[in-house]
């Protein structure tokens, strides 16, 4: 299948990494579908945008059904949508934990489940989930966020086994801090502390991320599944 | 409606068994009462998953019925809707 025949769904793509990946894959000739809670100004003949809150099951199902009717289904899913919140565990409200798990973990699960149903029928699929280097670093102050991302890693590992016989691969990327809105909520000294824990001490770039997503989605990566790649050398 | 769905699901079952080259036991009668789950099922667990996906897709494409067969409600019933094409058809009509 060449890029022109493939549809990539990128969640949470109104800005940041998701926006970059959308433009990057449109440039490469893919059909790109994006979704976010508010509308996008991204305009391209091969681009469709849906309004969808990733934690709402009905909205996710409607989005996936609509993509099937418009584009024949999703071939590649990039579960990019996510949010962060920092706080000491003792000071973390239960609502924050719930919200992070619903957006990060439940959202990724719902899209993975619904897209997998289409991929099972076509006997080919690629799913990429987003974790973070905060998971292996066990960073203080990031308990709720890291736990929600850790759950995504476990989900990826188990689903990769369950879906391997359908030629569906599921892998995870764990970026370092990248200049996006998400990192704005992290205090500057905290970001520096994280970067100093990396082998390569610099911010990640959008290109660092697309390098890994390119690898995971390529036809040649059919033997790569259940893996996670952390950027920056951890 | 239930009869129409039943006939279509039965056709899907025949196609599914044929396409996936599923070997049936000698005494299995492939009708609306054939077991879809359990030890005497015609499917293994992965085939059942794939069949459920196909049923959901067929209902959406051909009957415009949007249903999640693996909902909490379906899974928590004392009598599983996946026992046979008969029980599955009834469940679909009841829930849609």
């Amino acid at each position: 299948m060449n890029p022109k025949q493939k549809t990539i769904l990128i969640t949470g793509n109104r800005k940041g990494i998701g926006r970059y990946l959308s433009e990057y894959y449109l440039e490469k000739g893919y059909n790109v579908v994006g979704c976010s809670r508010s509308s996008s100004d991204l305009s391209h003949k091969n681009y469709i945008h849906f309004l969808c809150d990733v934690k709402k099951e009905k909205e996710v199902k409607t989005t996936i059904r609509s993509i099937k009717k418009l584009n024949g289904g999703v071939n590649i899913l990039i579960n990019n949508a996510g949010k962060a919140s920092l706080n000491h565990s003792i000071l973390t409200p239960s609502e924050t934990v719930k919200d992070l798990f619903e957006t990060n973990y439940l959202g990724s699960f719902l899209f993975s489940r619904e897209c997998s149903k289409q991929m099972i029928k076509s006997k080919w699929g690629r799913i990429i989930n987003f974790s973070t280097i905060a998971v292996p670093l066990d960073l203080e102050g990031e308990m709720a966020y890291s736990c929600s991302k850790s759950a995504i890693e476990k989900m990826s590992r188990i689903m990769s086994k369950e879906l391997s016989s359908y030629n569906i691969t599921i892998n995870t990327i764990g970026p370092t801090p990248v200049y996006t809105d998400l990192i704005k909520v992290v205090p500057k000294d905290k970001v520096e502390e994280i970067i100093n824990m990396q082998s390569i001490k610099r911010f990640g770039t959008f290109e660092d991320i697309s390098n890994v997503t390119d690898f995971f989605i390529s036809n040649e990566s059919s033997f790569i599944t259940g893996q996670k790649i952390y950027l920056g050398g951890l | 409606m239930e009869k129409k769905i039943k006939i279509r699901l039965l056709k899907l079952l025949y196609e599914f068994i044929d396409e996936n080259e599923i070997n049936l036991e000698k005494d299995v009668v492939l009708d609306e009462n054939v077991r879809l789950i359990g030890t005497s099922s015609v499917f293994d667990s992965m085939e059942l998953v794939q069949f459920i996906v196909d049923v959901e897709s067929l209902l959406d494409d051909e009957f415009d019925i949007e249903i999640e067969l693996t909902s909490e409600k379906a899974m928590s019933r004392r009598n599983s809707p996946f026992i046979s094409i008969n029980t599955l058809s009834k469940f679909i009509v009841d829930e849609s």
Side-chain angles (χ1 to χ4, degrees):
Chain A
M1 217 189 265
N2 68 45
K4 284 181 182 165
Q5 295 168 308
K6 282 180 183 161
T7 295
I8 301 188
L9 168 59
I10 303 171
T11 65
N13 74 328
R14 201 170 63 81
K15 50 192 180 175
I17 295 168
R19 172 69 178 234
Y20 163 77
L21 290 174
S22 302
E23 291 173 347
Y24 176 78
Y25 285 115
L26 282 167
E27 187 69 26
K28 278 180 169 264
Y30 288 88
N31 297 311
V32 176
V33 179
C35 69
S36 58
R37 282 180 298 171
S38 47
S39 56
S40 168
D41 61 359
L42 178 55
S43 173
H44 190 283
K45 64 182 170 57
N46 294 330
Y47 180 72
I48 304 169
H49 194 84
F50 286 89
L51 292 181
C52 174
D53 186 342
V54 298
K55 62 190 176 199
K56 294 190 175 154
E57 186 166 12
K58 198 166 171 49
E59 290 184 23
V60 172
K61 292 182 81 166
T62 303
T63 300
I64 301 303
R65 268 164 58 97
S66 304
I67 297 169
K68 186 184 168 193
K69 280 172 183 156
L70 288 168
N71 273 13
V74 176
N75 307 112
I76 299 163
L77 165 66
I78 300 181
N79 271 318
N80 167 73
K83 61 164 62 169
S85 174
L86 271 74
N87 215 336
H88 192 288
S89 303
I90 303 302
L91 304 175
T92 301
S94 63
E95 276 309 309
T96 302
V97 177
K98 198 175 162 202
D99 186 36
L100 286 174
F101 265 81
E102 284 185 345
T103 302
N104 296 344
Y105 168 64
L106 180 65
S108 297
F109 163 69
L110 291 173
F111 271 97
S112 297
R113 187 189 68 190
E114 292 307 311
C115 288
S116 294
K117 290 177 183 175
Q118 294 181 359
M119 292 170 181
I120 282 174
K121 282 184 78 69
S122 54
K123 298 236 172 8
W124 195 94
R126 297 279 188 270
I127 297 176
I128 300 175
N129 291 318
F130 269 74
S131 180
T132 165
I133 60 161
V135 172
L137 289 176
D138 297 327
L139 296 171
E140 292 164 61
E142 299 200 15
M143 182 278 297
Y145 175 63
S146 291
C147 284
S148 70
K149 292 293 191 179
S150 193
I152 288 174
E153 291 188 3
K154 186 56 80 180
M155 174 186 77
S156 304
R157 296 270 301 157
I158 294 174
M159 284 189 78
S160 71
K161 289 184 179 180
E162 291 177 338
L163 297 170
S164 62
S165 59
Y166 304 109
N167 293 320
I168 300 170
T169 69
I170 306 179
N171 293 290
T172 307
I173 177 170
T176 60
V178 176
Y179 281 120
T180 62
D181 283 357
L182 190 138
I183 209 76
K184 283 180 190 166
V185 301
V186 187
K188 217 175 170 184
D189 58 334
K190 189 81 183 167
V191 175
E192 275 174 23
E193 190 188 321
I194 296 167
I195 288 175
N196 280 326
M197 291 178 191
Q198 299 166 195
S199 302
I200 303 165
K201 300 179 195 318
R202 66 163 171 84
F203 267 89
T205 64
F206 291 149
E207 290 77 13
D208 292 323
I209 290 168
S210 55
N211 179 42
V212 178
T213 55
D214 275 348
F215 170 64
F216 283 149
I217 70 172
S218 77
N219 281 324
E220 290 71 25
S221 291
S222 60
F223 206 38
I224 308 290
T225 195
Q227 304 303 302
K228 56 189 171 195
I229 292 183
Y230 294 120
L231 296 176
L234 289 180
Chain B
M1 184 65 160
E2 189 178 330
K3 196 177 172 193
K4 210 173 163 189
I5 290 174
K6 197 184 293 181
I7 291 167
R8 188 60 190 92
L9 291 189
L10 205 50
K11 187 167 180 273
L12 179 73
L13 179 69
Y14 295 149
E15 291 163 354
F16 187 88
I17 285 175
D18 190 41
E19 275 170 26
N20 292 283
E21 296 172 350
I22 295 170
N23 290 319
L24 301 173
E25 298 288 331
K26 268 185 187 170
D27 55 345
V28 167
V29 180
L30 213 52
D31 61 12
E32 66 265 34
N33 293 311
V34 72
R35 290 286 297 211
L36 305 179
I37 56 166
T39 48
S40 55
S41 169
V42 290
F43 299 139
D44 63 25
S45 58
M46 291 307 285
E47 286 160 353
L48 178 63
V49 169
Q50 200 176 333
F51 184 70
I52 289 170
V53 169
D54 283 0
V55 172
E56 278 188 5
S57 177
L58 179 144
L59 293 172
D60 186 15
D61 294 344
E62 297 182 20
F63 294 89
D64 206 24
I65 294 174
E66 192 187 346
I67 190 167
E68 195 186 330
L69 296 173
T70 51
S71 64
E72 288 288 336
K73 200 171 174 185
M75 291 305 186
S76 61
R77 280 164 65 117
R78 192 188 286 174
N79 298 315
S80 169
F82 305 111
I83 289 173
S84 65
I85 295 293
N86 254 339
T87 58
L88 187 54
S89 308
K90 187 173 185 321
F91 176 76
I92 291 163
V93 172
D94 289 348
E95 294 301 310
S96 57

